[in-house]
Amino acid sequence: MLQASPVGGQAPGRRRERGQSMVEMALITPVLILILAALVELGMLANNYIAVLDAGREGARFGASGDPMFRENNPDCGTTLDYYMQIACLVEQSMAPLTIDPTRDDIVISVFAIADGRVVARLPFETGENGWSRYGNRTSRFRSADIQALINPGDPPSGMVVVEVFYNHHQVLKLPFFTAFIPDPIPIRTYTIMPVSAAEPTPTPIPTASP
């Protein structure tokens, strides 16, 4: 016996399943968009963090072979021979295509002379515990006591250069549900510590009586 086909050619159960699928898709789509946006933001943040970290390492490697006592009043990256300015300029060049914002970001450099299991000097002398700052926006997060805590009392005299990079990562998508809970820009700070032989304290020779 033949039966009449339902209106529209589809059974009522099929129409209900289709409607249910559309509702589920409407509910899950915003969640998927949120997850995708989060992946984009976190991916860009991680990429920029690695770029800043690598740039700081390049500057510290250069500083490890230089002389922190060599100073020069020349702010030009192209011609300067100043130890601290050379490191800062190399860090900025290594960060490309990222660029330092002179009004908010900064590069801070400190050199420590170590002897007898303690910090005996921090260079440059005129900046003290603040460290040398490229743009004057930041000061060093490292105190001499922090470096001294890393030293074993029996270690030989040595020198250390610390390069700290402060960078503000601006969100890419700037979606309201991110900016409401996560700061924009997101502050990034990296640091690298390298030995620098030119900062090693030299013992003062003991005068001997003439024969």
Side-chain angles (χ1 to χ4, degrees):
M1 183 175 179
L2 298 176
Q3 294 182 353
S5 299
V7 178
Q10 290 185 346
R14 295 288 298 277
R15 289 199 299 270
R16 285 196 298 270
E17 291 177 2
R18 185 177 179 183
Q20 180 180 350
S21 299
M22 293 180 64
V23 171
E24 291 174 350
M25 181 61 68
L27 292 174
I28 200 173
T29 297
V31 178
L32 292 175
I33 293 175
L34 178 63
I35 294 174
L36 179 61
L39 290 175
V40 171
E41 287 291 358
L42 291 176
M44 292 300 298
L45 174 61
N47 183 70
N48 288 353
Y49 176 84
I50 292 172
V52 174
L53 179 62
D54 288 344
R57 287 174 177 171
E58 286 297 320
R61 289 190 190 100
F62 177 84
S65 60
D67 184 355
M69 297 302 294
F70 194 93
R71 305 303 310 278
E72 182 184 63
N73 294 323
N74 187 347
D76 184 5
C77 278
T79 59
T80 185
L81 296 176
D82 183 87
Y83 173 82
Y84 301 92
M85 184 63 76
Q86 281 187 312
I87 294 176
C89 293
L90 179 58
V91 170
E92 291 192 51
Q93 293 167 7
S94 300
M95 284 177 59
L98 300 182
T99 56
I100 287 281
D101 181 356
T103 65
R104 305 188 65 170
D105 304 332
D106 213 342
I107 301 166
V108 180
I109 304 166
S110 305
V111 176
F112 298 87
I114 300 162
D116 300 324
R118 63 188 181 89
V119 174
V120 296
R122 179 168 184 164
L123 307 173
F125 295 113
E126 65 271 17
T127 61
E129 289 291 291
N130 290 333
W132 181 92
S133 170
R134 171 73 166 98
Y135 294 106
N137 300 321
R138 301 281 185 162
T139 58
S140 175
R141 298 273 187 89
F142 280 96
R143 304 292 92 184
S144 295
D146 299 328
I147 297 297
Q148 192 161 309
L150 304 175
I151 305 167
N152 295 318
D155 288 347
S158 60
M160 291 184 182
V161 57
V162 181
V163 178
E164 300 171 76
V165 184
F166 298 85
Y167 177 76
N168 287 279
H169 165 76
H170 294 270
Q171 293 187 28
V172 178
L173 302 178
K174 299 185 181 299
L175 299 176
F177 49 78
F178 282 158
T179 55
F181 302 101
I182 302 175
D184 185 26
I186 301 172
I188 294 175
R189 171 188 173 255
T190 68
Y191 68 87
T192 303
I193 303 176
M194 288 278 184
V196 50
S197 59
E200 294 178 7
T202 54
T204 303
I206 301 174
T208 56
S210 300

